[in-house]
């Protein structure tokens, strides 16, 4: 019988940068009495036991003396607190380990010579299991039958608490990836809903604009803003910006450009063009239409520009 026959791969382990309070909690929950410490390659570099934690507890003040044993009997031990100590300060290092092909007598001799109650099993340098001294002693005494040995291999070495309200007590990377995928699906649904809402708002705005007419005060305000643009040294002014879908052809004539684009205007933009043609064109002002943005590669908003530069286009 060799170490691989006795070991069980269901055991906790941590890296050296783990919080000591977490390791203490793990020891209290798993019931194993030891937690191996491994490096990035999963090679054991130390081990933490309950004895390590007991030695790390603060000692009673000298003037108070030790607490009598009868007061400590059947008294629950207080929760361990690291108080700033690092795991490296508490763990036993270096870790003594055995090969997965180590024979039971050799395992017993190593554990006896080093006073070990449990020992990590490695394959090469990587930790793959733990062996307990009581099970080594039972195997030495012939207490493991073939059926019992097979049951032992399948039996978890530790029993982690059942998942209750703490959903993070037992988790896998796959579960976290599924959470990420669910989050991304939710984001996709929200994007679809936002896009649908934006489309509905835009369509409502187009319907409102199609029925909206240009008033005289609005026209005078447009001209006043154009005057301020000229005073600032500009040679053109944006009179009105509107969804290209307000045009009868969805803005295709403006984007072409097609000389007949004015005939596609509807609502307030059509009124602006007519006011320009009747009042401003005879006075030397020109007008131009342009698609000013292309969301998702399609014509978005269009605009009418009033121009007064001497150059002809």
């Amino acid at each position: 019988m060799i170490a691989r026959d006795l070991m069980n791969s269901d055991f906790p382990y941590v890296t050296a940068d783990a919080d000591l309070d977490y390791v203490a909690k793990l020891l209290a929950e798993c019931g194993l009495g030891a937690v191996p410490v491994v490096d990035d390659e999963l090679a054991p570099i130390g081990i933490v036991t309950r004895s390590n934690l007991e030695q790390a507890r603060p000692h009673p003040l000298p003037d108070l003396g030790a607490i009598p044993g009868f007061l400590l009997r059947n008294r629950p031990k207080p929760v361990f607190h690291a108080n700033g100590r690092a795991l490296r300060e508490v763990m036993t290092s270096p870790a003594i380990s055995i090969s997965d092909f180590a024979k039971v007598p050799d395992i017993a001799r190593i554990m006896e010579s080093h006073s070990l109650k449990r020992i990590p099993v490695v394959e090469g340098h990587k930790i793959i299991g733990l062996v307990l001294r009581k099970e080594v002693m039972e195997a030495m005494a012939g207490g493991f039958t073939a059926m019992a040995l097979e049951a032992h291999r399948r039996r978890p070495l530790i029993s982690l608490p059942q998942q209750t309200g703490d959903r993070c007590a037992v988790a896998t990377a796959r579960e976290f990836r599924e959470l990420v995928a669910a989050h991304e699906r939710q984001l996709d649904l929200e994007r679809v809903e936002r896009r649908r809402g934006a489309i509905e708002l835009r369509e409502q705005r187009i319907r409102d604009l199609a029925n909206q007419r240009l008033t005289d005060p609005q026209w005078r305000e447009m001209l006043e803003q154009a005057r301020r643009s000229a005073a600032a040294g500009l040679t053109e002014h944006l009179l009105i910006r509107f969804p290209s879908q307000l045009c009868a052809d969805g803005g295709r004539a403006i984007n072409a450009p097609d000389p007949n684009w004015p005939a596609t205007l509807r609502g307030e933009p059509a009124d602006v063009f007519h006011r320009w043609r009747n009042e401003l064109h005879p006075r030397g002002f020109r007008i131009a239409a342009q698609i000013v943005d292309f969301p998702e590669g399609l014509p978005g908003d269009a605009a009418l520009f009033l121009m007064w530069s001497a150059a002809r286009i």
Side-chain angles (χ1 to χ4, degrees):
M1 189 178 297
I2 59 177
R4 186 177 285 273
D5 296 324
L6 288 180
M7 76 174 191
N8 194 300
S9 58
D10 189 4
F11 64 97
Y13 56 86
V14 296
T15 54
D17 57 355
D19 293 333
L20 189 53
D21 288 331
Y22 167 76
V23 177
K25 182 175 180 292
L26 190 60
L27 278 170
E29 292 177 347
C30 73
L32 177 63
V35 174
V37 183
V38 300
D39 61 15
D40 292 339
E41 303 299 326
L42 296 185
I45 60 174
I47 195 165
V48 180
T49 66
R50 294 194 182 100
S51 298
N52 294 123
L53 299 187
E54 290 300 324
Q55 294 172 5
R57 290 185 186 275
H59 298 287
L61 296 177
D63 56 341
L64 297 178
I67 301 176
F70 72 89
L71 292 178
L72 295 176
R73 192 175 300 117
N74 298 325
R75 182 179 180 181
K77 295 181 180 179
V79 177
F80 177 83
H81 294 290
N83 294 326
R85 285 187 297 275
L87 177 58
R88 293 181 183 274
E89 301 175 28
V90 175
M91 72 180 186
T92 299
S93 181
I96 299 173
S97 59
I98 56 173
S99 166
D100 56 329
F101 287 105
K103 296 181 179 180
V104 169
D106 296 329
I107 300 172
R109 184 172 59 255
I110 294 173
M111 298 184 79
E112 182 66 25
S113 62
H114 293 281
S115 300
L116 301 177
K117 294 182 179 180
R118 74 283 296 171
I119 189 168
V121 181
V122 297
E123 183 179 35
H125 297 290
K126 179 180 177 181
I127 189 170
I128 60 172
L130 276 179
V131 171
L132 300 182
R133 184 171 62 181
K134 64 179 181 179
E135 291 167 346
V136 173
M137 295 299 101
E138 187 175 353
M140 289 285 290
F144 274 119
T145 64
M147 292 182 62
L149 181 59
E150 183 63 24
H152 169 78
R153 290 172 178 169
R154 297 180 180 180
R155 178 182 59 84
L157 191 59
I158 60 174
S159 296
L160 291 175
Q162 294 297 318
Q163 184 173 346
T164 56
D166 185 4
R167 298 181 60 187
C168 291
V170 179
T172 65
R174 179 179 178 180
E175 292 171 355
F176 277 37
R177 289 193 294 270
E178 290 174 352
L179 290 175
V180 172
H183 175 71
E184 292 176 347
R185 288 193 296 271
Q186 181 62 33
L187 290 180
D188 289 339
L189 290 176
E190 292 176 358
R191 282 191 288 267
V192 170
E193 288 299 322
R194 286 196 298 269
R195 182 177 180 183
R196 181 182 296 113
I199 292 175
E200 291 176 355
L201 288 176
R202 188 176 182 86
E203 290 176 349
Q204 183 59 47
R205 182 187 172 206
I206 292 170
R207 288 192 293 269
D208 294 342
L209 289 175
N211 297 321
Q212 186 172 325
R213 314 312 302 181
L214 180 68
T215 65
D216 288 340
Q218 288 175 327
W219 177 243
R220 288 194 297 269
E221 177 61 25
M222 289 180 182
L223 296 182
E224 182 58 32
Q225 291 177 356
R227 181 180 294 274
R228 287 196 289 267
S229 295
L234 302 179
T235 59
E236 63 181 36
H237 175 73
L238 190 154
L239 289 174
I240 186 172
R241 177 170 176 159
F242 54 94
S244 60
Q245 287 79 10
L246 187 59
C247 299
D249 64 347
R252 289 188 293 274
I254 292 177
N255 190 44
D258 185 328
N260 295 320
W261 63 262
T264 67
L265 298 178
R266 296 186 298 169
E268 192 174 7
D271 291 344
V272 170
F273 177 81
H274 293 151
R275 295 293 291 260
W276 164 82
R277 185 179 57 187
N278 295 333
E279 302 176 19
L280 300 182
H281 186 221
R283 303 185 183 189
F285 290 94
R286 290 175 289 113
I287 198 169
Q290 181 181 346
I291 303 296
V292 294
D293 68 349
F294 292 85
E296 300 182 1
L298 300 175
D301 282 356
L304 297 182
F305 294 87
L306 183 67
M307 299 177 292
W308 49 87
S309 62
R312 298 186 61 85
I313 59 173

